Amino acid sequence: MADFERRSRTRKLPSSYTVVVMPLVLSVFMSGIVSAVATVVNVGLGATFITKWPGAWGTSWVVAFPSLLMILPVVRRIVSAVVETPR
């Protein structure tokens, strides 16, 4: 019962925020993973990775987030042209 009460008090953003929140979350994960892989390939795992990766991630995210904001509408149109909509 306490869990239900806690969840009912949790506030969520309106659904109109989806167009910003989805690319935000996606860009955090995508840029983190891609920058980690690129950093490991270039410097290997170890102390150098730990010092280089946060900067690489930040730089990647600064590019990824606005890119996703611009590209996701195009991707949605392409996907809707290729994938059948359920009835």
Side-chain angles (χ1 to χ4, degrees):
M1 185 68 159
D3 188 46
F4 174 77
E5 290 174 3
R6 194 174 324 123
R7 272 189 269 157
S8 67
R9 284 183 272 161
T10 303
R11 296 200 177 213
K12 292 185 177 183
L13 294 170
S15 61
S16 61
Y17 282 74
T18 301
V19 295
V20 175
V21 173
M22 206 249 304
L24 174 69
V25 172
L26 182 59
S27 67
V28 167
F29 283 108
M30 180 189 68
S31 62
I33 293 166
V34 172
S35 64
V37 170
T39 305
V40 166
V41 167
N42 285 301
V43 300
L45 286 173
T48 306
F49 171 80
I50 294 169
T51 60
K52 297 284 184 184
W53 180 50
W57 189 351
T59 303
S60 298
W61 182 81
V62 167
V63 173
F65 181 55
S67 297
L68 281 170
L69 287 173
M70 292 184 290
I71 292 171
L72 270 175
V74 175
V75 171
R76 285 188 183 110
R77 278 188 233 119
I78 293 168
V79 170
S80 68
V82 175
V83 177
E84 187 175 330
T85 306
R87 296 176 188 215

